[in-house]
Amino acid sequence: AGFFRRAHFGMSQRMEVDGATALSHTAVGSVGTAIYTTSEGGRAAVLAANPWSKDIRSFAKSEQILRILDWLCDGLPVRVHSDCRVGLSLWRGEKDWVLFLFNMDFDPARSVRLSFQQPMHIEQLAASGDWVPTGEGAEWTVPVLADFDCAAFRLTPLVQ
């Protein structure tokens, strides 16, 4: 309880409370975020908003939430860079990843770029059910996603 009471008033430095280390406290609009680690290496993030706040749907808040999720997962193998709202779901196989991208905007997503922790071979799932090679590398630009459309990609790490 002490952590949340202190974080509410703002925090600009590391702080130890009840065995947890508070690492950050930020606010975008009327939505606040606190992240911390435990002495056992666990990670937690808390987002708080006024019930009447619409800031949780803002682009800045979406970006902040993605950065927090990335930190909680200790680094995702893929990052999405876009000027529109693109959601992702990532599934790990034995030797590859399957990535689903969702355009959640009212306009086509024309400038979606992916960056990877390591170079990947990228294939897109075609309507026929076949995987079609679409690119390779540590960065890749996604073909245009229509508004409220989705696409599936298979990512296979390139042998280095």
Side-chain angles (χ1 to χ4, degrees):
F3 171 77
F4 297 106
R5 200 168 34 252
R6 298 264 312 265
H8 172 74
F9 294 110
M11 176 181 13
S12 59
Q13 58 189 6
R14 282 178 79 95
M15 179 173 94
E16 295 278 339
V17 176
D18 299 330
T21 302
L23 301 174
S24 174
H25 174 254
T26 61
V28 175
S30 61
V31 181
T33 304
I35 61 173
Y36 61 98
T37 60
T38 66
S39 57
E40 294 84 26
R43 294 174 175 216
V46 179
L47 284 84
N50 294 325
W52 56 88
S53 172
K54 293 186 173 129
D55 289 342
I56 195 71
R57 297 183 302 241
S58 73
F59 188 76
K61 183 47 69 177
S62 298
E63 286 293 310
Q64 183 182 20
I65 291 170
L66 288 175
R67 285 192 307 272
I68 290 169
L69 289 172
D70 185 48
W71 176 80
L72 285 170
C73 297
D74 201 18
L76 294 173
V78 61
R79 289 183 186 254
V80 177
H81 310 276
S82 177
D83 59 355
C84 58
R85 293 177 197 251
V86 176
L88 72 94
S89 179
L90 191 63
W91 296 56
R92 184 176 192 159
E94 287 184 31
K95 298 178 182 177
D96 57 10
W97 298 83
V98 175
L99 170 70
F100 297 95
L101 294 178
F102 306 91
N103 179 3
M104 299 180 289
D105 263 345
F106 292 104
D107 297 311
R110 300 181 190 285
S111 60
V112 178
R113 189 176 51 82
L114 304 178
S115 60
F116 310 105
Q117 288 181 346
Q118 67 184 77
M120 297 281 187
H121 174 72
I122 303 130
E123 300 169 286
Q124 184 171 3
L125 184 62
S128 64
D130 298 318
W131 291 102
V132 179
T134 57
E136 288 185 346
E139 289 192 0
W140 180 69
T141 302
V142 177
V144 174
L145 283 173
D147 47 317
F148 294 101
D149 198 6
C150 61
F153 302 93
R154 182 165 54 190
L155 312 172
T156 308
L158 292 174
V159 178
Q160 299 198 23

